[in-house]
Structures are given as structure tokens and as C-alpha cells.
Amino acid sequence: MGLFKKRQKKLDSQEVGLDIGMIFLKFFLDTEYLHYGFWENGLEPEVKNLRAAQINYTNHLFSHIPEGVKTILDVGSGTGKVAEQLIEKGYKVDCVSPSKRLTARIKELLGNKAEVFHGRYEDVKIDKKYDMILFSESFQYIDMQTNFEKSAQYLKEGGHILICDFFRYQEHNHRPLGGGHWLDQYKEILAKHPFDIIKDEDITDKIAPTMTVVNTFTMEAIRPSFELGMDLFQDRFPRIHRFVNWKFKKKLAGTREKHFKGERNEANFKKFKTYRLILLQKRAN
């Protein structure tokens, strides 16, 4: 064994991103939803309208829960806000949450109304079966092979999977927008598992305006704040600033390239992504 060990990463970037999203949205926009908005009926893609668009999203999602569903496993439950609304509608809901901070928030919000399984979906052990498993913008984070295997195990006969998430197109190589499974790979893996497609709705056009809100806020608030902070850092600590610029030159350039070029916009989202609402049903043995 070498003298120096490779440092183990203690923080998962996806979990940190969700935690930051929860703090930001709650503080600035008075919303605990962590999902995109659903923009319809002339609702303008502006920051002030994001919460209303997120409520539209939730209503559209709920409208596709099949009749007869009573028990739901909400995988990747965010802050627990969606689970709370499902419970209010009379469903029995359990949650899977990988983030410690979000898990604590779910337990605070739901109390003993739901059992919360803390951990990655690939790793948690559940000894129950459900009428439906929900993946609201959490499907993209989970290994698909393992996902379908575990979901088949946790579903009752004839049970459903409801997915609302975005996918990437295989033919695009340059992506200013990361994340999402490849659509072609999803189809190939799904075909190997005991599920029938009940519905596959492309809702990209109604989801994509969310990126107008994100891009506007990034370019008009986050970018100038970042640059002003760097200017102040340079003025107060010039030597340290020179060292940081030298040491982290590539990372700083990558941050500006990824976040501050204005490419995370509605047009590119439509070009590189497809946002879909998918309802699957488990086949009988």
C-alpha cells in the first residue's frame, strides 16, 4: 500500500445539489418543490410564476395515477412536499430519500404519516409491496437495470410505475445540459423487464420554459454576484487570489463555461432533452 491514500469523497455532488436547491427555493421563492414547472394557459416563464408552474406539474402528475392505487412508494421524495399532498388525497405513502438533510425534512414534515427509507434506491431493503412506485425527477439518478429489478420486486401484480423525468437523445454529443439517462438505453433495458407501457407522453414543450427562468436568474443574478465576489477577493487578498487562479484555473474556467455562457436555456433543453411522463404496468406472471 502506498504512502498516500486517495482521499475518499464524503459528499455526493447530487445530494449537495438537491440540498442547495431546497434551501434556495424555500428562502427565495417560498416553494419546497424541487421539480421543474409545467407551463400552460399563458403562464409566463418568470421567477415569480415558478411556484404556480410547479403546482401545475404536480396536478398533471397526480392526474395520471391509475384508479385503484392505494399504496405508493415515492422514490427520491425531495422535501416530502409531493408525498404530503398524496397523503392528503388519501394515499398511503412511503418515501425513499438518499440525502440526510432532505430525509430529516421529510420526517419533520410527515411525522409518522409515512415510513422513510434513508439511502439510495439501489441499496435500501423494503419488505413491502405497493400499488405504484413514483419517480418524479428521480429516475435519472438510479441505475436502470437495478431500478426495474427492485421495482418489479416491490410492486404487487398489476402494479404501476409512474415516471416523470427527462432523458437525453443518443445522437447528440455536445451537451450544455447534463443529466438524464439515454432514451435509447432506457428503451433497451425496459424491454428486458416485465412491464407494459400504458402511457408515454412527451411534455417537453410545457416543461422547457423552466430553463428560461433558470437561465435568466443565472445570467442576471448568480453570474454578476460570482464575478463581483471574485473582484472583491482580488482586491482584498491579491496574492491568495493569484494562487487560487493558478491552482484552480481549469475549474474556474469550467464553471464559467458550464454555467455562465447562457447555454442552459429553453432552446437547448428542447434540442438535447425529451421530458416524458411514462406510466408502466407490471405484467402478471
Side-chain angles (χ1 to χ4, degrees):
M1 182 168 62
L3 182 61
F4 297 102
K5 294 181 180 180
K6 185 177 180 181
R7 186 175 71 87
Q8 296 293 319
K9 293 182 179 180
K10 296 182 179 181
L11 295 177
D12 184 282
S13 60
Q14 293 175 345
E15 289 186 24
V16 172
L18 289 172
D19 291 344
I20 292 173
M22 176 187 70
I23 295 168
F24 169 81
L25 290 170
K26 177 63 177 176
F27 184 81
F28 287 101
L29 301 177
D30 192 30
T31 175
E32 291 197 65
Y33 295 112
L34 295 181
H35 54 249
Y36 282 57
F38 190 86
W39 305 85
E40 60 180 353
N41 300 327
L43 188 65
E44 292 294 327
E46 300 175 359
V47 171
K48 65 181 182 180
N49 294 330
L50 178 59
R51 186 173 184 274
Q54 290 177 311
I55 292 173
N56 288 344
Y57 174 104
T58 307
N59 291 337
H60 188 72
L61 182 70
F62 288 178
S63 71
H64 289 82
I65 297 176
E67 291 186 12
V69 168
K70 295 181 180 178
T71 57
I72 298 174
L73 180 64
D74 182 10
V75 179
S77 305
T79 63
K81 186 64 177 178
V82 171
E84 179 187 44
Q85 289 183 266
L86 288 169
I87 292 170
E88 289 174 352
K89 289 181 175 294
Y91 297 104
K92 172 63 178 176
V93 181
D94 289 338
C95 301
V96 176
S97 173
S99 163
K100 291 181 180 179
R101 184 184 292 270
L102 289 174
T103 297
R105 175 56 186 146
I106 294 169
K107 290 181 177 180
E108 177 186 0
L109 183 67
L110 302 182
N112 61 1
K113 297 178 182 178
E115 183 171 1
V116 182
F117 301 95
H118 174 61
R120 298 164 66 244
Y121 189 52
E122 296 94 330
D123 302 327
V124 296
K125 306 296 182 183
I126 302 174
D127 59 0
K128 301 180 182 181
K129 289 186 180 292
Y130 299 87
D131 297 319
M132 193 185 86
I133 301 177
L134 173 64
F135 298 94
S136 176
E137 290 185 11
S138 58
F139 187 81
Q140 61 182 285
Y141 298 117
I142 306 168
D143 175 78
M144 288 187 287
Q145 178 70 27
T146 306
N147 188 332
F148 286 127
E149 289 175 356
K150 298 200 78 167
S151 295
Q153 176 185 348
Y154 297 149
L155 279 174
K156 300 175 183 178
E157 294 299 324
H160 293 82
I161 295 176
L162 181 57
I163 302 168
C164 208
D165 212 335
F166 58 77
F167 297 81
R168 292 185 282 181
Y169 284 123
Q170 188 76 41
E171 62 266 24
H172 292 301
N173 295 318
H174 173 65
R175 301 185 308 278
L177 296 163
H181 291 303
W182 294 113
L183 184 63
D184 288 349
Q185 291 179 358
Y186 153 75
K187 292 178 179 179
E188 290 174 4
I189 294 173
L190 174 63
K192 300 175 183 177
H193 292 85
F195 295 100
D196 293 320
I197 301 172
I198 306 302
K199 187 180 186 66
D200 186 346
E201 178 186 12
D202 186 338
I203 57 174
T204 308
D205 286 344
K206 292 187 177 181
I207 295 292
T210 305
M211 298 309 300
T212 296
V213 176
V214 172
N215 192 55
T216 299
F217 186 81
T218 299
M219 301 303 290
E220 296 183 6
I222 296 179
R223 183 177 70 168
S225 298
F226 175 83
E227 298 299 349
L228 284 170
M230 293 299 291
D231 289 345
L232 182 62
F233 182 37
Q234 182 179 17
D235 181 71
R236 296 292 189 271
F237 310 100
R239 292 183 179 180
I240 300 175
H241 180 269
R242 285 196 295 271
F243 173 77
V244 169
N245 264 350
W246 168 76
K247 181 69 174 178
F248 301 102
K249 181 178 180 179
K250 289 185 177 179
K251 288 188 176 182
L252 288 170
T255 296
R256 288 185 171 97
E257 177 75 18
K258 182 177 180 180
H259 297 287
F260 300 152
K261 286 187 68 177
E263 292 187 340
R264 289 187 160 189
N265 54 47
E266 180 176 347
N268 278 329
F269 188 89
K270 290 180 179 180
K271 180 178 180 182
F272 297 116
K273 307 286 189 183
T274 174
Y275 199 110
R276 314 188 82 85
L277 186 148
I278 300 168
L279 182 64
L280 308 174
Q281 185 171 28
K282 179 181 175 181
R283 288 194 291 269
N285 293 329

